[in-house]
Amino acid sequence: MARFEYRDIIETDLPVVLELIRELAHHEGRPEAVTISRQMLSGLLFADAPVAYGIVGLWEGQIVGYALLAKKFSSFKGHKIAYIEDVLISDKARGNGLGLKIMQSIVSKSRSMDCKAIEWSALDDNTIALGFYDHIKAEREIDRVHFGLDDQGMKNLLRLK
C-alpha cells in the first residue's frame, strides 16, 4: 500500500482543497451549493483568530483528501470538541483504506487542538459513509435532531414578533 500522510492545509493548497469541496458537493447532489472563494477559505483558515482548521491527506505525495474542522464545546462535560465540517477522500483514491487513515489523522489533529471528542454529521442517504462510520464504531446520535438557519433564515427570525 502506498504511504499516506497528512499535514495542515497551507495557503498554496487552497485551489486543490476548493476542488475537493466541489467534489464533495457534487457527491452530495448539490454542486450549486458551493459559493466559497479562495479568499473566503483563506480568511477562515488563516486569520489571526481562525474559525476553521484544515488538514490535507496525501497519498503518493498528491493531495487526495481533506478535512475541515471547527471547535465547539460541551457545557455538560467542560471540554472542547472538534466538529468535522467536511471530510473527503477523492473518488480517484477511494478503495485504498484511506478513509480510515484520514479519520485517524482527524483524531491526531483534534488532540493537537486540545479536543476531547469529535462530532460530525452525514446525510441519511449516504449509505457508504454511514456504513464506514458504523465500521469504525462511531456512535450514532438517535436522540437529537439537528437544526440550522441560513442567512435569510436568521434575518427572518429577527423579524418575528
Side-chain angles (χ1 to χ4, degrees), residues 21-36:
I21 290 171
R22 289 182 191 96
E23 182 178 332
L24 178 60
H26 186 270
H27 175 74
E28 291 183 351
R30 49 195 195 119
E32 73 288 344
V34 178
T35 59
I36 194 167

Side-chain angles (χ1 to χ4, degrees), residues 124 126-127 129-134 137-143:
D124 61 4
N126 189 343
T127 56
L130 295 175
F132 173 71
Y133 298 143
D134 287 341
K137 309 282 191 247
E139 294 180 30
R140 287 190 188 204
E141 276 191 84
I142 56 171
D143 55 349

Side-chain angles (χ1 to χ4, degrees), residues 82-95:
Y83 181 79
I84 304 171
E85 176 62 26
D86 288 357
V87 59
L88 176 79
I89 294 294
S90 180
D91 282 338
K92 65 184 176 192
R94 287 193 187 149

